[in-house]
Amino acid sequence: MRKVLVTGGVGYIGSHTVVELIEAGYVPVIIDNFSNSEPWIIDRIEEITKTKPTFYEGDCGNKDFLNEVFAEEKEIDSVIHFAAMKSAHESIANPLEYYKNNLCSTLALLEVMSQYKVTKLVFSSSATVYGESDINPIPETAELKNQTSTYGTTKLMCESIIEDVAKSSSLKAISLRYFNPVGAHASALIGELPKGTPNNLVPYITQTAIGLREYLTVYGDDYPTMDGTCIRDFIHVVDLAQAHIAALKHLDITNASTHTKFNVGTGKGESVMGLIKQFESVTSVNLSYKIGPRRAGDIIECFADVSKINSETGWQAKFDLDKALLDSWHWQQSLVT
Ligand code: UD1
């Protein structure tokens, strides 16, 4: 039995990872405070996997709570740390909340892990640590500069904290730098649940297509790219979830304390307009959209060099963008029926 503590395990990426963990024979123990997730997602995980995951409701920044979970569960083999606030936009308006939440939870977790001698950690980082990179595809060695949001800064700071702890202890850690997660589970039982108006592109598209929003605004078509819109690396959330399994396996064969950073993307850049056209083509829906001004803080182009994670763990993305967009669409449709 390989017990894996999953903080934020009811969220978008967390819930898909819990499913993949169960299917790979791990025993996930979820903690979540439902700040950006819904309790019924746990039932959906059970419906998909036919396994009821162990769940504790509480805040990852609360050391007493973490202590109780570690004491109760014993034998926690490793931790995947998702629990964090994740809106780049919101973080600019509420920096203190973002610093407090994202840093304190990571600090509390590292302290309790050390106390219980749990030495393996997979940290949920983001490609946002690269800021506007001079190089594309972006390798892990690229300079980390000018994060465009407090959210991005918190991810970088958490990576630095983990780096220092790994240097001074037996911690073995992997930070997975996610590019743009999209899609949903093929069952359409779990997927992304944005609170209020979505900030991210694909949930905005699916909500517009289903009639919840009048039209999508494309933020700028005058960028120096092929069609003038920004370029991103959209990765299917199930591929992303599987990267966490690859990371856990990699930590098992890592002897010394380390902190390794891996990009998790497809390695292919797609433009915003290209994605819209692809969505229309795979779903046969005509999307209502308008071209608007650029959104402050957006970077022009960002896609991953995935050769490191591929050569060191064997992981690579399996699903294409067609599948991701169809899965997102089916999930959106399931929410209104
Ligand atoms: C943002 C965050 C990133 C985070 C990711 C989660 C930054 C700068 N960005 O990435 O850290 O990991 O969300 O998925 O920190 N767009 C539109 N219209 C819309 C919405 C988006 O045109 O209504 C465009 C944006 O201008 C951008 C692209 O779509 O060019 C992707 O936007 P979005 O889905 O918000 O992701 P990012 O900004 O890349």
Side-chain angles (χ1 to χ4, degrees):
M1 185 182 71
R2 300 281 311 282
K3 227 181 235 187
V4 183
L5 183 76
V6 187
T7 77
V10 192
Y12 176 41
I13 305 171
S15 58
H16 288 82
T17 302
V18 167
V19 166
E20 296 307 310
L21 283 169
I22 294 171
E23 287 179 351
Y26 291 88
V27 178
V29 173
I30 303 174
I31 67 176
D32 202 298
N33 64 1
F34 299 127
S35 62
N36 196 18
S37 58
E38 296 294 335
W40 51 266
I41 292 289
I42 302 170
D43 303 328
R44 297 292 184 87
I45 292 172
E46 184 178 354
E47 202 176 330
I48 296 169
T49 62
K50 311 287 176 252
T51 306
K52 191 178 182 65
T54 304
F55 172 75
Y56 293 86
E57 181 173 353
D59 194 318
C60 186
N62 179 344
K63 239 178 101 180
D64 293 337
F65 165 67
L66 288 181
N67 255 307
E68 278 168 34
V69 175
F70 276 75
E72 175 75 23
E73 287 299 322
K74 304 181 182 75
E75 294 175 5
I76 289 176
D77 172 75
S78 38
V79 176
I80 306 180
H81 180 35
F82 293 106
M85 297 171 82
K86 64 167 191 180
S87 160
H89 177 73
E90 188 183 70
S91 74
I92 296 165
N94 301 312
L96 286 177
E97 213 184 326
Y98 269 70
Y99 282 121
K100 189 171 155 202
N101 185 80
N102 292 3
L103 299 185
C104 291
S105 60
T106 304
L107 290 170
L109 185 65
L110 286 165
E111 280 182 343
V112 179
M113 284 176 68
S114 154
Q115 201 177 315
Y116 284 84
K117 303 196 170 24
V118 176
T119 57
K120 288 180 273 180
L121 173 70
V122 179
F123 174 64
S124 166
S125 189
S126 166
T128 191
V129 298
Y130 295 115
E132 181 81 81
S133 174
D134 298 331
I135 328 164
N136 271 289
I138 308 174
E140 288 82 352
T141 49
E143 202 184 333
L144 310 178
K145 54 175 191 182
N146 305 333
Q147 283 70 49
T148 53
S149 70
T150 302
Y151 160 74
T153 311
T154 67
K155 288 292 171 190
L156 190 54
M157 289 170 91
C158 286
E159 282 198 12
S160 302
I161 294 167
I162 292 166
E163 181 93 11
D164 288 347
V165 175
K167 276 184 196 150
S168 68
S169 72
S170 47
L171 183 71
K172 299 190 285 181
I174 291 178
S175 287
L176 295 179
R177 293 175 174 166
Y178 313 149
F179 282 65
N180 288 59
V182 291
H185 194 263
S187 63
L189 287 168
I190 57 172
E192 191 168 5
L193 279 173
K195 263 199 175 154
T197 309
N199 287 316
N200 293 125
L201 178 63
V202 171
Y204 208 104
I205 288 178
T206 58
Q207 289 197 6
T208 306
I210 207 115
L212 292 173
R213 312 271 157 209
E214 203 184 335
Y215 59 87
L216 168 83
T217 303
V218 174
Y219 297 135
D221 70 346
D222 58 350
Y223 285 102
T225 60
M226 289 256 285
D227 62 17
T229 63
C230 293
I231 291 175
R232 295 289 183 272
D233 185 335
F234 299 98
I235 174 161
H236 197 296
V237 66
V238 173
D239 274 329
L240 182 51
Q242 285 170 357
H244 296 77
I245 314 288
L248 286 178
K249 289 185 175 158
H250 190 68
L251 287 177
D252 282 339
I253 54 161
T254 305
N255 292 321
S257 69
T258 49
H259 176 214
T260 308
K261 298 102 190 169
F262 286 133
N263 285 339
V264 193
T266 63
K268 292 184 212 99
E270 181 59 75
S271 73
V272 170
M273 195 50 82
L275 183 138
I276 292 170
K277 293 290 159 212
Q278 212 165 331
F279 178 84
E280 292 186 315
S281 147
V282 292
T283 61
S284 307
V285 174
N286 271 332
L287 192 74
S288 171
Y289 67 87
K290 293 184 182 172
I291 306 297
R294 293 181 179 193
R295 181 172 72 175
D298 271 344
I299 53 172
I300 305 168
E301 189 173 17
C302 174
F303 60 100
D305 178 337
V306 284
S307 51
K308 185 176 176 198
I309 189 168
N310 183 227
S311 66
E312 293 190 24
T313 76
W315 175 90
Q316 63 179 18
K318 291 200 232 28
F319 301 120
D320 59 18
L321 190 52
D322 277 359
K323 158 104 177 123
L325 293 172
L326 259 186
D327 287 341
S328 283
W329 179 229
H330 293 151
W331 163 245
Q332 181 69 64
Q333 288 174 308
S334 81
L335 291 173
V336 291
T337 50

